[in-house]
């Protein structure tokens, strides 16, 4: 990888994380198309590369929550109990069942389109405040397991998907956000290690692109810290709409690419 590609990867991680961190959405969701289309990371190696980005970039946002009691609370443990085995299974599925780029694009679009629509709808039409019962511990673990599988296939760790789900089920944002961030970091670490192990027993581009992942991650490390630090000064509504529209646009692009190939 040339120095210009390293710089581009660093800047991509920095800019994306700075924009996404204030709204609690993992930058890995939006970094993946950049890795595929601009940085030239092959499939399925792009998935562990994206997980590597989460591992390196995660502490940048987590350090802002280091004094939050919920970071090491019971919700975090429940999420990890589900997402960690889920991401291992997702890695196996990604390598042996969904290796083709066409299927992968459709799968990515299936996650990005609802995510973007949800962000826009929740911003433009906030839900009415009413009493809701948070999910039981068993339900939380089961939900985390499913999201972990999705994260292992897609390369996002899964935690960024759990936060909006938990909040919609009545979990306070102040409780869900740090737990989801911690889950993303640990799950991505396990997922990246799973892909590295699978690469020793399989053929093809399975191992992460270490240089791209580290360069993007270093940018994300700084961007995540800056984003969470700037959060009180940024218009949340505008950022949520921007992320929602961006997610839907990328998802639509993947659908077009998959149907044309």
């Amino acid at each position: 990888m040339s120095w210009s590609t390293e710089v581009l990867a660093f800047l991509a991680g920095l800019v994306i994380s700075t924009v996404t961190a204030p709204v609690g959405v993992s930058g890995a969701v939006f970094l993946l198309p950049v890795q595929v289309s601009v940085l030239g990371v092959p499939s399925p190696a792009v998935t562990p590369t994206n997980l590597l980005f989460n591992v390196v970039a995660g502490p940048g946002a987590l350090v802002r929550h280091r004094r939050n009691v919920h970071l090491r609370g019971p919700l975090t443990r429940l999420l990890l109990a589900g997402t960690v085995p889920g991401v291992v299974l997702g890695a196996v599925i990604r390598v042996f069942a969904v290796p083709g780029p066409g299927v992968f694009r459709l799968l990515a679009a299936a996650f990005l389109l609802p995510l973007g629509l949800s962000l826009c709808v929740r911003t433009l039409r906030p839900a009415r405040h009413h009493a809701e019962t948070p999910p039981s511990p068993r339900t939380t673990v089961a939900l985390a397991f499913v999201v972990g599988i999705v994260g292992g296939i897609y390369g996002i760790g899964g935690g960024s998907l759990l936060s909006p789900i938990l909040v919609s089920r009545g979990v306070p944002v102040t409780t869900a956000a740090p737990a989801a961030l911690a889950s993303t970091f640990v799950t991505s670490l396990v997922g990246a290690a799973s892909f590295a192990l699978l690469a020793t027993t399989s053929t093809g581009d399975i191992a992460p692109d270490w240089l791209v992942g580290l360069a993007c991650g270093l940018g994300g490390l700084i961007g995540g810290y800056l984003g969470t630090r700037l959060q009180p000064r940024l218009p949340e509504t505008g950022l949520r709409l921007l992320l929602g529209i961006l997610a839907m646009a990328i998802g639509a692009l993947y659908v077009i690419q998959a149907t044309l190939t």
Side-chain angles (χ1 to χ4, degrees), residues 4-217:
S4 59
T5 304
E6 294 177 359
V7 172
L8 183 59
F10 174 84
L11 291 176
L14 174 65
V15 173
I16 291 175
S17 293
T18 302
V19 174
T20 58
V23 295
V25 176
S26 173
V29 175
F30 304 99
L31 184 63
L32 187 142
V34 177
Q35 291 182 356
V36 173
S37 304
V38 180
L39 301 176
V41 180
S43 177
V46 66
T47 298
T49 302
N50 226 23
L51 292 172
L52 178 61
F53 161 79
N54 275 339
V55 171
V56 178
L62 283 175
V63 71
R64 296 292 298 169
H65 293 286
R66 63 186 182 277
R67 294 187 179 90
N68 193 318
V69 296
H70 300 298
L71 188 63
R72 293 176 292 274
L75 180 58
T76 300
R77 292 191 290 270
L78 290 174
L79 295 183
L80 290 175
T83 55
V84 169
V87 76
V88 175
L89 179 57
V92 174
I93 294 173
R94 180 71 180 93
V95 171
F96 296 106
V98 197
V103 177
F104 178 52
R105 289 191 182 107
L106 288 176
L107 193 61
F111 299 137
L112 283 171
L113 288 170
L115 174 62
L117 181 61
S118 174
L119 281 171
C120 290
V121 171
R122 288 169 65 88
T123 301
L124 296 174
R125 299 178 60 184
R128 296 179 179 178
H129 295 285
H130 57 278
E132 292 181 329
T133 303
S136 66
R138 181 177 298 180
T139 301
T140 300
V141 173
L143 189 63
F145 179 71
V146 174
V147 172
I149 294 175
V150 172
I153 296 173
Y154 187 41
I156 59 175
S160 61
L161 297 177
L162 283 169
S163 184
I165 296 174
L166 291 171
V167 171
S168 67
R169 293 290 302 274
V171 178
V173 176
T174 54
T175 301
L181 284 171
S183 174
T184 297
F185 175 72
V186 176
T187 304
S188 297
L189 182 61
V190 174
S194 298
F195 273 98
L197 181 61
L198 288 170
T200 63
T201 59
S202 306
T203 58
D205 297 309
I206 299 173
D209 188 319
W210 294 97
L211 291 179
V212 169
L214 290 173
C216 290

